[in-house]
Amino acid sequence: MDKIVGPGNAYVAAAKKLVFGQVAIDMIAGPSEVAIIADSTADPVFAAADMLAQAEHDEKAAAVLFTPDPDLAREVAAEIRRQIKPLPRKKIIQKSLSSFGAIIITADIDEAAALTNLFAPEHLELMVENPTNALRHIRSAGSVFLGSYTPEALGDYIAGANHILPTEGTARFSSPLGVYDFYKRMSVLSFSRAAFENLSEATRHFARMEGLCAHANSVQVRCKSGKN
């Protein structure tokens, strides 16, 4: 076995940490999270439902709404209070939202996108009038869901995109699991004698600066050689 990939709970994450270095892993996944960027065209019922859906994962799940519309912010908050009442995992949701939930009013959609890029969420929903245009401003998110009828739950179960995603801000520098994770590369170098001689002096200079005389000598012996 050379690489271990796949989702899991905190115990799976701990096991991956233990074996990392002996084998490769895809990532250390943290608690699940969703960010929603919504404008005045968004349905507060949908936004609230999706925040609740994320929060029911566990008490450390995060659900954050960014919107420039104060009225929408108030309506989403009211919808959360209404929709949470009959949910079986109500206590988990309440703990999650109280610790890691937020509704943030921004100056505009551009600021919402900028804050989202800093957050770098696992899931991002764009509930805006033109989600394709808004997507151009997003640089860091694990999986992006465009429009009001692309809820994150589709991605969890049936949409088809890989759902092993970077969490806890790691979308700033990593990507969802994909076929490229099962590729590896090798560097291959080849120098002619003329090309070698062009760089030999600089190579010896760097080697001597580091005090690695055998490195310098491995170049020097070739400079003295009459072989091609």
Side-chain angles (χ1 to χ4, degrees):
M1 180 184 296
D2 295 315
K3 188 165 189 174
I4 298 172
V5 302
N9 57 21
Y11 298 102
V12 173
K16 283 183 174 180
K17 286 182 180 180
L18 287 174
V19 300
F20 179 63
Q22 300 176 55
V23 296
I25 61 172
D26 50 355
M27 64 188 75
I28 302 294
S32 194
E33 56 208 21
V34 69
I36 301 172
I37 297 178
D39 62 15
S40 59
T41 67
D43 189 324
V45 175
F46 294 176
D50 291 354
M51 292 181 72
L52 292 168
Q54 194 64 34
E56 77 171 345
H57 274 290
D58 63 64
E59 294 177 353
K60 294 184 178 181
V64 179
L65 171 70
F66 298 102
T67 180
D69 187 338
D71 291 335
L72 179 71
R74 285 189 289 270
E75 290 168 0
V76 171
E79 273 299 317
I80 288 174
R81 291 190 293 270
R82 183 185 69 81
Q83 292 184 35
I84 197 174
K85 292 177 182 178
L87 295 175
R89 295 171 69 87
K90 177 180 177 180
K91 290 184 178 179
I92 292 173
I93 294 170
Q94 288 173 327
K95 186 69 177 291
S96 168
L97 291 178
S98 65
S99 299
F100 302 103
I103 296 175
I104 299 172
I105 299 173
T106 62
D108 49 34
I109 290 297
D110 287 344
E111 184 183 34
L115 291 173
T116 297
N117 286 326
L118 292 174
F119 182 20
E122 177 188 17
H123 310 102
L124 170 62
E125 295 186 358
L126 297 179
M127 292 188 180
V128 295
E129 185 173 12
N130 190 335
T132 303
N133 184 62
L135 180 61
R136 297 191 182 103
H137 301 281
I138 302 302
R139 296 291 177 268
S140 299
S143 188
V144 185
F145 301 78
L146 303 183
S148 293
Y149 287 91
T150 315
E152 187 271 328
L154 286 181
D156 275 343
Y157 298 114
I158 204 166
N162 199 299
H163 213 61
I164 300 171
L165 304 170
T167 61
E168 296 186 313
T170 59
R172 291 179 294 107
F173 50 79
S174 56
S175 305
L177 184 71
V179 294
Y180 36 78
D181 288 288
F182 298 93
Y183 283 86
K184 63 185 185 71
R185 297 169 292 137
M186 298 185 297
S187 296
V188 179
L189 295 81
S190 177
F191 278 70
S192 66
R193 176 157 190 163
F196 162 79
E197 289 177 346
N198 284 336
L199 296 179
S200 62
E201 179 56 36
T203 303
R204 284 179 287 168
H205 177 70
F206 280 115
R208 293 188 189 109
M209 285 177 63
E210 289 194 323
L212 300 177
C213 295
H215 281 64
N217 184 63
S218 72
V219 175
Q220 182 66 31
V221 295
R222 287 171 169 80
C223 293
K224 294 178 179 179
S225 172
K227 297 179 181 179
N228 291 319

PDB file of all heavy atoms in Angstrom, residues 175-207:
ATOM      1  N   SER A 175      -6.775  20.813  -3.143  1.00  0.00           N
ATOM      2  CA  SER A 175      -7.922  20.622  -4.030  1.00  0.00           C
ATOM      3  C   SER A 175      -8.707  19.379  -3.629  1.00  0.00           C
ATOM      4  O   SER A 175      -8.221  18.551  -2.850  1.00  0.00           O
ATOM      5  CB  SER A 175      -7.433  20.459  -5.477  1.00  0.00           C
ATOM      6  OG  SER A 175      -6.616  21.542  -5.865  1.00  0.00           O
ATOM      7  N   PRO A 176      -9.909  19.210  -4.181  1.00  0.00           N
ATOM      8  CA  PRO A 176     -10.643  17.966  -3.946  1.00  0.00           C
ATOM      9  C   PRO A 176      -9.859  16.758  -4.461  1.00  0.00           C
ATOM     10  O   PRO A 176      -9.032  16.880  -5.368  1.00  0.00           O
ATOM     11  CB  PRO A 176     -11.930  18.158  -4.760  1.00  0.00           C
ATOM     12  CG  PRO A 176     -12.063  19.628  -4.939  1.00  0.00           C
ATOM     13  CD  PRO A 176     -10.671  20.162  -5.011  1.00  0.00           C
ATOM     14  N   LEU A 177     -10.125  15.610  -3.877  1.00  0.00           N
ATOM     15  CA  LEU A 177      -9.499  14.382  -4.361  1.00  0.00           C
ATOM     16  C   LEU A 177      -9.887  14.160  -5.819  1.00  0.00           C
ATOM     17  O   LEU A 177     -11.040  14.343  -6.210  1.00  0.00           O
ATOM     18  CB  LEU A 177      -9.963  13.186  -3.521  1.00  0.00           C
ATOM     19  CG  LEU A 177      -9.321  11.838  -3.859  1.00  0.00           C
ATOM     20  CD1 LEU A 177      -7.866  11.812  -3.422  1.00  0.00           C
ATOM     21  CD2 LEU A 177     -10.092  10.699  -3.198  1.00  0.00           C
ATOM     22  N   GLY A 178      -8.913  13.788  -6.639  1.00  0.00           N
ATOM     23  CA  GLY A 178      -9.176  13.536  -8.052  1.00  0.00           C
ATOM     24  C   GLY A 178      -8.166  12.554  -8.613  1.00  0.00           C
ATOM     25  O   GLY A 178      -7.262  12.087  -7.900  1.00  0.00           O
ATOM     26  N   VAL A 179      -8.301  12.250  -9.884  1.00  0.00           N
ATOM     27  CA  VAL A 179      -7.397  11.269 -10.494  1.00  0.00           C
ATOM     28  C   VAL A 179      -5.947  11.724 -10.415  1.00  0.00           C
ATOM     29  O   VAL A 179      -5.027  10.899 -10.340  1.00  0.00           O
ATOM     30  CB  VAL A 179      -7.785  10.992 -11.962  1.00  0.00           C
ATOM     31  CG1 VAL A 179      -9.126  10.305 -12.043  1.00  0.00           C
ATOM     32  CG2 VAL A 179      -7.801  12.272 -12.790  1.00  0.00           C
ATOM     33  N   TYR A 180      -5.718  13.053 -10.404  1.00  0.00           N
ATOM     34  CA  TYR A 180      -4.342  13.561 -10.336  1.00  0.00           C
ATOM     35  C   TYR A 180      -3.663  13.193  -9.022  1.00  0.00           C
ATOM     36  O   TYR A 180      -2.433  13.222  -8.933  1.00  0.00           O
ATOM     37  CB  TYR A 180      -4.334  15.087 -10.529  1.00  0.00           C
ATOM     38  CG  TYR A 180      -5.510  15.791  -9.912  1.00  0.00           C
ATOM     39  CD1 TYR A 180      -5.584  16.031  -8.550  1.00  0.00           C
ATOM     40  CD2 TYR A 180      -6.591  16.188 -10.711  1.00  0.00           C
ATOM     41  CE1 TYR A 180      -6.682  16.651  -7.992  1.00  0.00           C
ATOM     42  CE2 TYR A 180      -7.691  16.809 -10.154  1.00  0.00           C
ATOM     43  CZ  TYR A 180      -7.729  17.044  -8.791  1.00  0.00           C
ATOM     44  OH  TYR A 180      -8.825  17.652  -8.233  1.00  0.00           O
ATOM     45  N   ASP A 181      -4.447  12.856  -7.990  1.00  0.00           N
ATOM     46  CA  ASP A 181      -3.841  12.436  -6.726  1.00  0.00           C
ATOM     47  C   ASP A 181      -3.187  11.064  -6.826  1.00  0.00           C
ATOM     48  O   ASP A 181      -2.452  10.661  -5.924  1.00  0.00           O
ATOM     49  CB  ASP A 181      -4.897  12.416  -5.617  1.00  0.00           C
ATOM     50  CG  ASP A 181      -5.306  13.810  -5.193  1.00  0.00           C
ATOM     51  OD1 ASP A 181      -4.501  14.482  -4.536  1.00  0.00           O
ATOM     52  OD2 ASP A 181      -6.422  14.238  -5.540  1.00  0.00           O
ATOM     53  N   PHE A 182      -3.465  10.343  -7.898  1.00  0.00           N
ATOM     54  CA  PHE A 182      -2.882   9.017  -8.067  1.00  0.00           C
ATOM     55  C   PHE A 182      -1.772   9.022  -9.117  1.00  0.00           C
ATOM     56  O   PHE A 182      -1.299   7.972  -9.530  1.00  0.00           O
ATOM     57  CB  PHE A 182      -3.981   8.017  -8.430  1.00  0.00           C
ATOM     58  CG  PHE A 182      -5.021   7.906  -7.344  1.00  0.00           C
ATOM     59  CD1 PHE A 182      -6.166   8.682  -7.381  1.00  0.00           C
ATOM     60  CD2 PHE A 182      -4.826   7.067  -6.261  1.00  0.00           C
ATOM     61  CE1 PHE A 182      -7.113   8.613  -6.373  1.00  0.00           C
ATOM     62  CE2 PHE A 182      -5.769   6.990  -5.244  1.00  0.00           C
ATOM     63  CZ  PHE A 182      -6.915   7.759  -5.302  1.00  0.00           C
ATOM     64  N   TYR A 183      -1.388  10.212  -9.533  1.00  0.00           N
ATOM     65  CA  TYR A 183      -0.221  10.370 -10.393  1.00  0.00           C
ATOM     66  C   TYR A 183       0.961  10.806  -9.535  1.00  0.00           C
ATOM     67  O   TYR A 183       0.797  11.487  -8.530  1.00  0.00           O
ATOM     68  CB  TYR A 183      -0.458  11.455 -11.452  1.00  0.00           C
ATOM     69  CG  TYR A 183      -1.314  11.034 -12.608  1.00  0.00           C
ATOM     70  CD1 TYR A 183      -2.698  11.123 -12.537  1.00  0.00           C
ATOM     71  CD2 TYR A 183      -0.735  10.569 -13.779  1.00  0.00           C
ATOM     72  CE1 TYR A 183      -3.500  10.749 -13.605  1.00  0.00           C
ATOM     73  CE2 TYR A 183      -1.524  10.188 -14.858  1.00  0.00           C
ATOM     74  CZ  TYR A 183      -2.900  10.287 -14.762  1.00  0.00           C
ATOM     75  OH  TYR A 183      -3.679   9.921 -15.821  1.00  0.00           O
ATOM     76  N   LYS A 184       2.156  10.422  -9.943  1.00  0.00           N
ATOM     77  CA  LYS A 184       3.352  11.007  -9.359  1.00  0.00           C
ATOM     78  C   LYS A 184       4.337  11.290 -10.477  1.00  0.00           C
ATOM     79  O   LYS A 184       4.231  10.739 -11.575  1.00  0.00           O
ATOM     80  CB  LYS A 184       3.968  10.109  -8.285  1.00  0.00           C
ATOM     81  CG  LYS A 184       4.468   8.761  -8.737  1.00  0.00           C
ATOM     82  CD  LYS A 184       4.926   7.952  -7.532  1.00  0.00           C
ATOM     83  CE  LYS A 184       5.550   6.628  -7.951  1.00  0.00           C
ATOM     84  NZ  LYS A 184       6.864   6.802  -8.591  1.00  0.00           N
ATOM     85  N   ARG A 185       5.271  12.190 -10.217  1.00  0.00           N
ATOM     86  CA  ARG A 185       6.183  12.650 -11.259  1.00  0.00           C
ATOM     87  C   ARG A 185       7.623  12.322 -10.891  1.00  0.00           C
ATOM     88  O   ARG A 185       7.948  12.124  -9.721  1.00  0.00           O
ATOM     89  CB  ARG A 185       6.042  14.164 -11.445  1.00  0.00           C
ATOM     90  CG  ARG A 185       4.667  14.606 -11.910  1.00  0.00           C
ATOM     91  CD  ARG A 185       4.512  16.115 -11.814  1.00  0.00           C
ATOM     92  NE  ARG A 185       4.498  16.555 -10.418  1.00  0.00           N
ATOM     93  CZ  ARG A 185       5.145  17.619  -9.958  1.00  0.00           C
ATOM     94  NH1 ARG A 185       5.891  18.348 -10.772  1.00  0.00           N
ATOM     95  NH2 ARG A 185       5.068  17.964  -8.689  1.00  0.00           N
ATOM     96  N   MET A 186       8.466  12.265 -11.899  1.00  0.00           N
ATOM     97  CA  MET A 186       9.907  12.155 -11.699  1.00  0.00           C
ATOM     98  C   MET A 186      10.584  13.275 -12.476  1.00  0.00           C
ATOM     99  O   MET A 186      10.128  13.647 -13.559  1.00  0.00           O
ATOM    100  CB  MET A 186      10.445  10.811 -12.203  1.00  0.00           C
ATOM    101  CG  MET A 186       9.897   9.591 -11.500  1.00  0.00           C
ATOM    102  SD  MET A 186      10.699   8.071 -12.061  1.00  0.00           S
ATOM    103  CE  MET A 186      10.236   8.050 -13.795  1.00  0.00           C
ATOM    104  N   SER A 187      11.662  13.804 -11.925  1.00  0.00           N
ATOM    105  CA  SER A 187      12.491  14.741 -12.673  1.00  0.00           C
ATOM    106  C   SER A 187      13.531  13.955 -13.458  1.00  0.00           C
ATOM    107  O   SER A 187      14.148  13.029 -12.919  1.00  0.00           O
ATOM    108  CB  SER A 187      13.204  15.709 -11.717  1.00  0.00           C
ATOM    109  OG  SER A 187      12.270  16.509 -11.030  1.00  0.00           O
ATOM    110  N   VAL A 188      13.710  14.289 -14.719  1.00  0.00           N
ATOM    111  CA  VAL A 188      14.699  13.622 -15.569  1.00  0.00           C
ATOM    112  C   VAL A 188      15.615  14.691 -16.157  1.00  0.00           C
ATOM    113  O   VAL A 188      15.144  15.663 -16.750  1.00  0.00           O
ATOM    114  CB  VAL A 188      14.017  12.820 -16.699  1.00  0.00           C
ATOM    115  CG1 VAL A 188      15.066  12.158 -17.593  1.00  0.00           C
ATOM    116  CG2 VAL A 188      13.074  11.776 -16.113  1.00  0.00           C
ATOM    117  N   LEU A 189      16.928  14.533 -15.970  1.00  0.00           N
ATOM    118  CA  LEU A 189      17.900  15.512 -16.447  1.00  0.00           C
ATOM    119  C   LEU A 189      18.892  14.853 -17.398  1.00  0.00           C
ATOM    120  O   LEU A 189      19.278  13.689 -17.198  1.00  0.00           O
ATOM    121  CB  LEU A 189      18.682  16.136 -15.283  1.00  0.00           C
ATOM    122  CG  LEU A 189      17.896  16.998 -14.287  1.00  0.00           C
ATOM    123  CD1 LEU A 189      17.163  16.140 -13.266  1.00  0.00           C
ATOM    124  CD2 LEU A 189      18.834  17.967 -13.588  1.00  0.00           C
ATOM    125  N   SER A 190      19.314  15.587 -18.408  1.00  0.00           N
ATOM    126  CA  SER A 190      20.327  15.087 -19.340  1.00  0.00           C
ATOM    127  C   SER A 190      21.134  16.266 -19.870  1.00  0.00           C
ATOM    128  O   SER A 190      20.561  17.208 -20.425  1.00  0.00           O
ATOM    129  CB  SER A 190      19.662  14.337 -20.498  1.00  0.00           C
ATOM    130  OG  SER A 190      20.636  13.919 -21.439  1.00  0.00           O
ATOM    131  N   PHE A 191      22.473  16.244 -19.666  1.00  0.00           N
ATOM    132  CA  PHE A 191      23.358  17.314 -20.120  1.00  0.00           C
ATOM    133  C   PHE A 191      24.363  16.768 -21.131  1.00  0.00           C
ATOM    134  O   PHE A 191      24.936  15.684 -20.931  1.00  0.00           O
ATOM    135  CB  PHE A 191      24.146  17.898 -18.938  1.00  0.00           C
ATOM    136  CG  PHE A 191      23.390  18.912 -18.136  1.00  0.00           C
ATOM    137  CD1 PHE A 191      22.319  18.537 -17.340  1.00  0.00           C
ATOM    138  CD2 PHE A 191      23.756  20.248 -18.168  1.00  0.00           C
ATOM    139  CE1 PHE A 191      21.626  19.461 -16.596  1.00  0.00           C
ATOM    140  CE2 PHE A 191      23.065  21.190 -17.424  1.00  0.00           C
ATOM    141  CZ  PHE A 191      21.992  20.802 -16.633  1.00  0.00           C
ATOM    142  N   SER A 192      24.592  17.500 -22.176  1.00  0.00           N
ATOM    143  CA  SER A 192      25.732  17.215 -23.047  1.00  0.00           C
ATOM    144  C   SER A 192      26.996  17.720 -22.350  1.00  0.00           C
ATOM    145  O   SER A 192      26.922  18.452 -21.354  1.00  0.00           O
ATOM    146  CB  SER A 192      25.565  17.939 -24.385  1.00  0.00           C
ATOM    147  OG  SER A 192      25.620  19.351 -24.178  1.00  0.00           O
ATOM    148  N   ARG A 193      28.173  17.345 -22.874  1.00  0.00           N
ATOM    149  CA  ARG A 193      29.406  17.839 -22.256  1.00  0.00           C
ATOM    150  C   ARG A 193      29.478  19.364 -22.321  1.00  0.00           C
ATOM    151  O   ARG A 193      29.866  20.022 -21.351  1.00  0.00           O
ATOM    152  CB  ARG A 193      30.630  17.229 -22.932  1.00  0.00           C
ATOM    153  CG  ARG A 193      31.923  17.804 -22.360  1.00  0.00           C
ATOM    154  CD  ARG A 193      33.114  16.929 -22.534  1.00  0.00           C
ATOM    155  NE  ARG A 193      34.232  17.446 -21.748  1.00  0.00           N
ATOM    156  CZ  ARG A 193      35.299  16.748 -21.428  1.00  0.00           C
ATOM    157  NH1 ARG A 193      35.394  15.484 -21.819  1.00  0.00           N
ATOM    158  NH2 ARG A 193      36.273  17.281 -20.719  1.00  0.00           N
ATOM    159  N   ALA A 194      29.086  19.931 -23.451  1.00  0.00           N
ATOM    160  CA  ALA A 194      29.148  21.384 -23.598  1.00  0.00           C
ATOM    161  C   ALA A 194      28.224  22.078 -22.598  1.00  0.00           C
ATOM    162  O   ALA A 194      28.597  23.077 -21.969  1.00  0.00           O
ATOM    163  CB  ALA A 194      28.775  21.779 -25.021  1.00  0.00           C
ATOM    164  N   ALA A 195      27.021  21.550 -22.434  1.00  0.00           N
ATOM    165  CA  ALA A 195      26.080  22.142 -21.480  1.00  0.00           C
ATOM    166  C   ALA A 195      26.599  21.992 -20.055  1.00  0.00           C
ATOM    167  O   ALA A 195      26.478  22.910 -19.235  1.00  0.00           O
ATOM    168  CB  ALA A 195      24.715  21.479 -21.624  1.00  0.00           C
ATOM    169  N   PHE A 196      27.188  20.822 -19.757  1.00  0.00           N
ATOM    170  CA  PHE A 196      27.781  20.594 -18.436  1.00  0.00           C
ATOM    171  C   PHE A 196      28.866  21.625 -18.137  1.00  0.00           C
ATOM    172  O   PHE A 196      28.910  22.220 -17.059  1.00  0.00           O
ATOM    173  CB  PHE A 196      28.350  19.173 -18.369  1.00  0.00           C
ATOM    174  CG  PHE A 196      29.334  18.961 -17.262  1.00  0.00           C
ATOM    175  CD1 PHE A 196      28.908  18.769 -15.961  1.00  0.00           C
ATOM    176  CD2 PHE A 196      30.707  18.975 -17.525  1.00  0.00           C
ATOM    177  CE1 PHE A 196      29.828  18.582 -14.933  1.00  0.00           C
ATOM    178  CE2 PHE A 196      31.626  18.791 -16.507  1.00  0.00           C
ATOM    179  CZ  PHE A 196      31.186  18.601 -15.203  1.00  0.00           C
ATOM    180  N   GLU A 197      29.749  21.846 -19.111  1.00  0.00           N
ATOM    181  CA  GLU A 197      30.864  22.766 -18.889  1.00  0.00           C
ATOM    182  C   GLU A 197      30.386  24.199 -18.678  1.00  0.00           C
ATOM    183  O   GLU A 197      31.007  24.966 -17.940  1.00  0.00           O
ATOM    184  CB  GLU A 197      31.847  22.679 -20.057  1.00  0.00           C
ATOM    185  CG  GLU A 197      32.614  21.359 -20.059  1.00  0.00           C
ATOM    186  CD  GLU A 197      33.547  21.220 -21.253  1.00  0.00           C
ATOM    187  OE1 GLU A 197      33.401  22.023 -22.212  1.00  0.00           O
ATOM    188  OE2 GLU A 197      34.401  20.311 -21.233  1.00  0.00           O
ATOM    189  N   ASN A 198      29.275  24.556 -19.294  1.00  0.00           N
ATOM    190  CA  ASN A 198      28.732  25.905 -19.102  1.00  0.00           C
ATOM    191  C   ASN A 198      28.305  26.157 -17.657  1.00  0.00           C
ATOM    192  O   ASN A 198      28.325  27.293 -17.183  1.00  0.00           O
ATOM    193  CB  ASN A 198      27.533  26.128 -20.027  1.00  0.00           C
ATOM    194  CG  ASN A 198      27.940  26.379 -21.463  1.00  0.00           C
ATOM    195  OD1 ASN A 198      29.064  26.814 -21.729  1.00  0.00           O
ATOM    196  ND2 ASN A 198      27.033  26.105 -22.389  1.00  0.00           N
ATOM    197  N   LEU A 199      27.908  25.100 -16.960  1.00  0.00           N
ATOM    198  CA  LEU A 199      27.402  25.253 -15.594  1.00  0.00           C
ATOM    199  C   LEU A 199      28.345  24.708 -14.529  1.00  0.00           C
ATOM    200  O   LEU A 199      28.052  24.792 -13.337  1.00  0.00           O
ATOM    201  CB  LEU A 199      26.043  24.546 -15.464  1.00  0.00           C
ATOM    202  CG  LEU A 199      24.900  25.117 -16.310  1.00  0.00           C
ATOM    203  CD1 LEU A 199      23.635  24.301 -16.108  1.00  0.00           C
ATOM    204  CD2 LEU A 199      24.642  26.578 -15.972  1.00  0.00           C
ATOM    205  N   SER A 200      29.453  24.146 -14.943  1.00  0.00           N
ATOM    206  CA  SER A 200      30.329  23.467 -13.985  1.00  0.00           C
ATOM    207  C   SER A 200      30.925  24.418 -12.955  1.00  0.00           C
ATOM    208  O   SER A 200      30.972  24.105 -11.759  1.00  0.00           O
ATOM    209  CB  SER A 200      31.441  22.715 -14.725  1.00  0.00           C
ATOM    210  OG  SER A 200      32.259  23.631 -15.459  1.00  0.00           O
ATOM    211  N   GLU A 201      31.390  25.578 -13.383  1.00  0.00           N
ATOM    212  CA  GLU A 201      32.026  26.501 -12.445  1.00  0.00           C
ATOM    213  C   GLU A 201      31.035  27.000 -11.401  1.00  0.00           C
ATOM    214  O   GLU A 201      31.344  27.063 -10.205  1.00  0.00           O
ATOM    215  CB  GLU A 201      32.641  27.680 -13.202  1.00  0.00           C
ATOM    216  CG  GLU A 201      33.319  28.708 -12.292  1.00  0.00           C
ATOM    217  CD  GLU A 201      34.400  28.094 -11.403  1.00  0.00           C
ATOM    218  OE1 GLU A 201      35.105  27.170 -11.857  1.00  0.00           O
ATOM    219  OE2 GLU A 201      34.520  28.534 -10.235  1.00  0.00           O
ATOM    220  N   ALA A 202      29.825  27.352 -11.840  1.00  0.00           N
ATOM    221  CA  ALA A 202      28.804  27.815 -10.891  1.00  0.00           C
ATOM    222  C   ALA A 202      28.443  26.707  -9.908  1.00  0.00           C
ATOM    223  O   ALA A 202      28.254  26.952  -8.705  1.00  0.00           O
ATOM    224  CB  ALA A 202      27.560  28.275 -11.646  1.00  0.00           C
ATOM    225  N   THR A 203      28.364  25.473 -10.398  1.00  0.00           N
ATOM    226  CA  THR A 203      28.035  24.346  -9.523  1.00  0.00           C
ATOM    227  C   THR A 203      29.117  24.149  -8.468  1.00  0.00           C
ATOM    228  O   THR A 203      28.822  23.971  -7.271  1.00  0.00           O
ATOM    229  CB  THR A 203      27.874  23.059 -10.353  1.00  0.00           C
ATOM    230  OG1 THR A 203      26.875  23.271 -11.356  1.00  0.00           O
ATOM    231  CG2 THR A 203      27.466  21.890  -9.470  1.00  0.00           C
ATOM    232  N   ARG A 204      30.384  24.192  -8.888  1.00  0.00           N
ATOM    233  CA  ARG A 204      31.488  24.040  -7.933  1.00  0.00           C
ATOM    234  C   ARG A 204      31.495  25.175  -6.911  1.00  0.00           C
ATOM    235  O   ARG A 204      31.761  24.966  -5.723  1.00  0.00           O
ATOM    236  CB  ARG A 204      32.825  23.991  -8.681  1.00  0.00           C
ATOM    237  CG  ARG A 204      33.090  22.646  -9.369  1.00  0.00           C
ATOM    238  CD  ARG A 204      34.401  22.657 -10.121  1.00  0.00           C
ATOM    239  NE  ARG A 204      34.285  23.463 -11.340  1.00  0.00           N
ATOM    240  CZ  ARG A 204      35.327  23.849 -12.075  1.00  0.00           C
ATOM    241  NH1 ARG A 204      36.557  23.540 -11.703  1.00  0.00           N
ATOM    242  NH2 ARG A 204      35.141  24.553 -13.176  1.00  0.00           N
ATOM    243  N   HIS A 205      31.176  26.367  -7.365  1.00  0.00           N
ATOM    244  CA  HIS A 205      31.152  27.521  -6.469  1.00  0.00           C
ATOM    245  C   HIS A 205      30.112  27.329  -5.361  1.00  0.00           C
ATOM    246  O   HIS A 205      30.412  27.534  -4.176  1.00  0.00           O
ATOM    247  CB  HIS A 205      30.839  28.784  -7.281  1.00  0.00           C
ATOM    248  CG  HIS A 205      30.727  30.020  -6.447  1.00  0.00           C
ATOM    249  ND1 HIS A 205      31.820  30.615  -5.835  1.00  0.00           N
ATOM    250  CD2 HIS A 205      29.644  30.774  -6.103  1.00  0.00           C
ATOM    251  CE1 HIS A 205      31.412  31.676  -5.157  1.00  0.00           C
ATOM    252  NE2 HIS A 205      30.095  31.798  -5.310  1.00  0.00           N
ATOM    253  N   PHE A 206      28.890  26.926  -5.743  1.00  0.00           N
ATOM    254  CA  PHE A 206      27.846  26.701  -4.737  1.00  0.00           C
ATOM    255  C   PHE A 206      28.232  25.572  -3.783  1.00  0.00           C
ATOM    256  O   PHE A 206      27.995  25.650  -2.572  1.00  0.00           O
ATOM    257  CB  PHE A 206      26.512  26.385  -5.416  1.00  0.00           C
ATOM    258  CG  PHE A 206      25.778  27.597  -5.913  1.00  0.00           C
ATOM    259  CD1 PHE A 206      25.571  27.794  -7.269  1.00  0.00           C
ATOM    260  CD2 PHE A 206      25.293  28.549  -5.029  1.00  0.00           C
ATOM    261  CE1 PHE A 206      24.898  28.913  -7.735  1.00  0.00           C
ATOM    262  CE2 PHE A 206      24.612  29.672  -5.477  1.00  0.00           C
ATOM    263  CZ  PHE A 206      24.414  29.863  -6.842  1.00  0.00           C
ATOM    264  N   ALA A 207      28.821  24.508  -4.327  1.00  0.00           N
ATOM    265  CA  ALA A 207      29.215  23.374  -3.487  1.00  0.00           C
ATOM    266  C   ALA A 207      30.253  23.800  -2.450  1.00  0.00           C
ATOM    267  O   ALA A 207      30.167  23.437  -1.269  1.00  0.00           O
ATOM    268  CB  ALA A 207      29.756  22.244  -4.356  1.00  0.00           C
TER     269      ALA A 207
END
